Amino acid sequence: MPVSGTAIFSGTNRLNMPWLLASGHVAHATALRMARGYVYTSAMAAIVLATLNARYVHASLGLRYLLANLGVLQAQARIAEFVLGTRPVDVAEALLKHTPRIVGFGVYIWNVEDTTRVIAMLKQLAPQVVVVVGGPEVSHEVGEQRICGLADYVITGPGDVSFAKLCAQVLAGRNPLQRVVAGEQVPLQGLALPYSLYSDEDIATRFLYVEASRGCPFKCEFCLSSLDKTAWPFDLERFLAQMQSLFERGARHFRFVDRTFNLNARASLRILEFFLDRMDERLFVHFELIPDQLPERLKEAIARFPAGCLHFEIGIQTFNPVVQALISRRQDDARAELNFAWLREQSQALIHADLIAGLPGEDLASFASGFDRLYAMRPHEIQVGILKRLRGTPIARHTGAFRMRYNPDPPYNVLATDRIGFADMQRITRFARYWEMVGNAGRFRRTLPVLLGEQAADPADDTVPGVAAFEQFMRFSDWLFETTKKTHEIALERLYDAVLRFLVEERGIARDAALGPVLADYEASGAKGRLSFMKTGMVVGGARSRRPAAQHRSHVRQARHEKA
Ligand code: B12
Ligand code: SF4
């Protein structure tokens, strides 16, 4: 069998070969294995690093760090990434094919349940395999989690060097007695950078997560990063040299995981300039920003990026000052508004803004006014997140005082508070989902202002209802759920039909006027199906619809209006 760079010998002989296990003896061991004729396969590995990513496009940076820092053990290790939704039994089968001695799992809120099932099966099928778990989900409340009980070892916090040390001990037959190990936080300069471990396939097909700094100096209580003492930078030139190699290998999609990219303006500027110097039409770079810090020199660099290249995720979370104080979030809202205005007017960056519903002290009216204020700032996307009680986060201190009721299972979303009952929390949850489909997806660019009552459907009509965006969309959201009983798997055609029907039947907009923006958006979406009223010649609600030709004219008129 061919021997690859990470080829490993058969696990059946593994336990009889302690010489292989000591650090520094890999080359010698390889020679011996060859000489003795052991069976090789590139699929086999003494150490397997596994995780279930949220989707295929999300490559795991954490596991690549662990592999990069395995030192001489790296040659015996490989990464096995799976996608959420893969059956745990299939994951277990795939892992056992490597005949591993150690399996390390990267555990996160999105995969903890399935990973627990995988480990439970592994422990039945191959109890001799040493299971190590690490990652943010198992770094806190260790004693309360089934997964931590099933695993042989739990490494909390950073795993970069602690995993390597544990593996060396286990492979040397010296299993440590202590099951829970506090991951060592070593100076970042001491870490091997993992970027060469992105394969050509990763570069061609996945988001490349990269990290110029770790940690966050802020203390927002809902966030795990609030437990960090500060932010630590990687050596910038060393980091950029890695970005250069990725770039030369064809990488164009970079996603920075830095908690607050604009914390250190000098470093941020250097990074922006790095990408400006390498600009091409495929480049896409994502950063997370804090909203109230945008110094002039950063703005100048941002303004030089062409459309579609920069993607900024900006957390607002809440505009309510009482809530901000309760959750220890410092934010200058007025500065944030000015920065948004500048970004929208002077830059071509795509702005994705986050709000959180269900925070302690926030009621529905306060959340609604926060949404309206954010909507008025015109980000391209608004993500309405429902508060989650992440393990280890200080938000838990408000549970009693604000009668916060959380889902006990992942994702630990808040179900009710003293100010937002369960029924309203469900309404907001559906609002968030439908907003994703209608407000964010970009498929309702012309219809959304009509749906939100900002713009009349008929360009000639200058009377628009004076109701705010949140309330308008909540009306639609309540109606859509009542009508479909679904929040997922709503086919695109059905969604367009539903929006049209809502505008006509519920909002009383003249059918002809409502058709214009809906049809224009449908055509622009590139969908190839036919809306139900196009098929039947009937508009929903029983009235006769226009003929397709007339619909087309209406679409053209609408488009003309937009151009004017
Ligand atoms: C990329 C990312 C995602 C991606 C998914 C990535 C993937 N692989 O699938 C997307 C965008 C989909 C996502 C979504 C969500 N995410 Co997210 N995400 C991140 C982010 C920004 C980067 C992760 C990363 O690469 N970090 C860099 C690496 C080096 O750090 P690391 O992964 O923590 O790994 C280190 C240690 O944890 C440990 N380690 C990791 N694996 C292992 C394995 C072993 C064996 C050992 C020993 C150690 C170990 O060692 C590593 C090196 O030090 C982090 C924030 C951050 N900056 O870390 C949040 C973060 C992981 N996400 C978080 C959350 C809450 C979410 C959401 C629930 C947000 C939401 N919508 O409300 C969703 C859930 C998605 C779902 N489908 O349910 C939380 C995780 C909380 C938790 N307990 O898991 C984080 C930490 C953000 C935060 N500060 O609160 N996310
Ligand atoms: S929400 Fe953002 S600013 Fe606040 S602690 Fe988390 S990463 Fe830092």
Side-chain angles (χ1 to χ4, degrees):
M1 276 190 200
V3 183
S4 84
T6 53
I8 302 300
F9 76 106
S10 161
T12 48
N13 296 311
R14 172 182 65 217
L15 297 171
N16 306 323
M17 305 171 81
W19 39 263
L20 175 68
L21 310 175
S23 304
H25 290 104
V26 172
H28 175 58
T30 306
L32 269 176
R33 286 183 337 236
M34 302 281 279
R36 291 183 187 182
Y38 289 109
V39 181
Y40 284 82
T41 154
S42 61
M44 291 177 180
I47 304 167
V48 176
L49 281 160
T51 199
L52 285 112
N53 293 312
R55 284 193 294 133
Y56 168 77
V57 284
H58 303 290
S60 167
L61 180 59
L63 291 191
R64 283 169 177 76
Y65 262 107
L66 265 56
L67 183 60
N69 286 281
L70 268 176
V72 290
L73 298 179
Q74 198 188 117
Q76 308 176 51
R78 63 171 48 238
I79 287 177
E81 289 180 284
F82 301 87
V83 181
L84 209 60
T86 310
R87 293 188 316 156
V89 68
D90 295 334
V91 175
E93 182 184 14
L95 291 174
L96 288 175
K97 278 194 179 143
H98 296 289
T99 57
R101 178 84 180 89
I102 300 170
V103 181
F105 287 95
V107 188
Y108 298 81
I109 190 170
W110 57 82
N111 66 23
V112 60
E113 294 187 313
D114 281 351
T115 309
T116 306
R117 292 186 191 104
V118 172
I119 296 174
M121 284 187 227
L122 284 185
K123 282 291 159 196
Q124 291 297 317
L125 293 163
Q128 77 285 2
V129 172
V130 173
V131 171
V132 184
V133 292
E137 182 66 4
V138 291
S139 291
H140 308 275
E141 304 175 11
V142 170
E144 294 163 33
Q145 301 195 58
R146 180 170 173 237
I147 191 168
C148 299
L150 286 167
D152 297 286
Y153 294 100
V154 182
I155 296 181
T156 62
D160 316 79
V161 295
S162 300
F163 182 69
K165 286 186 182 169
L166 179 62
C167 287
Q169 289 175 294
V170 170
L171 292 180
R174 290 184 275 109
N175 290 18
L177 292 175
Q178 198 178 338
R179 284 190 57 247
V180 182
V181 180
E184 261 180 82
Q185 196 158 348
V186 295
L188 297 182
Q189 285 78 308
L191 292 184
L193 298 184
Y195 302 107
S196 62
L197 295 173
Y198 281 126
S199 67
D200 291 343
E201 187 187 325
D202 294 334
I203 288 174
T205 60
R206 308 175 81 183
F207 299 160
L208 299 185
Y209 285 107
V210 301
E211 187 185 40
S213 66
R214 263 190 201 177
C216 181
F218 299 105
K219 295 278 161 267
C220 318
E221 294 183 19
F222 55 83
C223 174
L224 258 182
S225 304
S226 66
L227 303 177
D228 300 336
K229 302 263 176 316
T230 182
W232 299 271
F234 283 86
D235 179 86
L236 196 51
E237 296 313 314
R238 185 171 163 238
F239 169 77
L240 290 177
Q242 294 289 312
M243 296 304 100
Q244 176 64 22
S245 315
L246 282 176
F247 196 86
E248 282 166 11
R249 291 175 62 203
R252 293 295 182 273
H253 193 133
F254 298 84
R255 294 202 160 223
F256 280 70
V257 299
D258 302 46
R259 272 61 159 187
T260 43
F261 173 70
N262 50 340
L263 200 59
N264 174 343
R266 197 143 53 94
S268 316
L269 191 61
R270 177 82 184 84
I271 292 170
L272 290 178
E273 277 169 353
F274 172 89
F275 287 110
L276 276 169
D277 290 345
R278 289 156 186 80
M279 183 55 56
D280 75 15
E281 67 285 351
R282 288 194 298 131
L283 190 66
F284 180 93
V285 197
H286 163 99
F287 299 107
E288 295 191 20
L289 304 192
I290 41 172
D292 47 8
Q293 285 187 35
L294 215 48
E296 228 24 70
R297 52 205 175 128
L298 265 194
K299 285 185 183 167
E300 280 164 24
I302 290 169
R304 285 162 56 207
F305 278 83
C309 181
L310 279 185
H311 187 257
F312 290 152
E313 182 169 341
I314 308 181
I316 291 290
Q317 321 307 6
T318 175
F319 278 117
N320 183 325
V322 176
V323 180
Q324 286 172 355
L326 276 168
I327 60 165
S328 316
R329 186 173 168 89
R330 283 189 284 129
Q331 181 169 291
D332 182 336
D333 295 335
R335 292 263 305 270
E337 268 172 327
L338 286 174
N339 287 338
F340 265 66
W342 182 88
L343 284 166
R344 288 300 272 125
E345 283 155 25
Q346 308 294 329
S347 88
Q348 306 197 68
L350 284 162
I351 315 297
H352 171 108
D354 297 326
L355 270 188
I356 299 182
L359 288 167
E362 188 120 78
D363 60 19
L364 192 58
S366 147
F367 183 75
S369 92
F371 182 90
D372 290 342
R373 187 165 170 186
L374 181 57
Y375 182 73
M377 288 155 64
R378 294 281 180 248
H380 299 89
E381 294 178 354
I382 297 176
Q383 183 175 327
V384 174
I386 307 298
L387 175 67
K388 297 172 179 68
R389 192 202 68 83
L390 301 181
R391 291 185 184 277
T393 52
I395 197 85
R397 75 188 178 100
H398 298 296
T399 300
F402 292 89
R403 295 203 303 279
M404 316 285 288
R405 301 284 176 260
Y406 293 101
N407 180 351
D409 295 319
Y412 317 117
N413 49 301
V414 69
L415 300 168
T417 72
D418 61 344
R419 279 142 225 240
I420 303 184
F422 179 55
D424 276 340
M425 202 67 84
Q426 285 288 90
R427 290 175 69 219
I428 302 177
T429 306
R430 289 191 287 269
F431 176 112
R433 168 70 190 147
Y434 293 144
W435 183 264
E436 223 21 68
M437 292 155 57
V438 176
N440 284 346
R443 296 196 185 104
F444 289 89
R445 208 166 55 78
R446 298 161 189 84
T447 312
L448 191 65
V450 179
L451 194 62
L452 298 184
E454 301 177 304
Q455 190 181 298
D458 182 347
D461 176 4
D462 58 3
T463 57
V464 292
V467 180
F470 182 87
E471 194 180 328
Q472 293 282 7
F473 197 79
M474 187 56 106
R475 270 178 68 187
F476 170 68
S477 171
D478 289 344
W479 175 87
L480 187 60
F481 185 66
E482 190 54 38
T483 312
T484 61
K485 299 280 185 278
K486 276 183 166 188
T487 51
H488 289 74
E489 293 168 356
I490 301 179
L492 199 55
E493 279 72 21
R494 194 163 175 215
L495 189 60
Y496 278 98
D497 278 334
V499 169
L500 179 69
R501 187 173 152 197
F502 176 80
L503 292 177
V504 173
E505 292 182 4
E506 300 296 313
R507 289 274 302 282
I509 294 176
R511 167 182 46 97
D512 289 358
L515 269 173
V518 175
L519 277 174
D521 279 334
Y522 183 68
E523 289 192 15
S525 79
K528 296 276 184 281
R530 278 168 67 78
L531 303 177
S532 70
F533 54 84
M534 289 163 87
K535 284 181 204 149
T536 59
M538 299 288 285
V539 76
V540 274
R544 292 286 306 168
S545 85
R546 285 168 171 232
R547 287 166 213 270
Q551 287 161 6
H552 183 67
R553 275 202 303 279
S554 141
H555 158 46
V556 172
R557 207 175 51 235
Q558 176 71 10
R560 270 204 307 270
H561 169 65
E562 275 161 9
K563 280 191 199 128

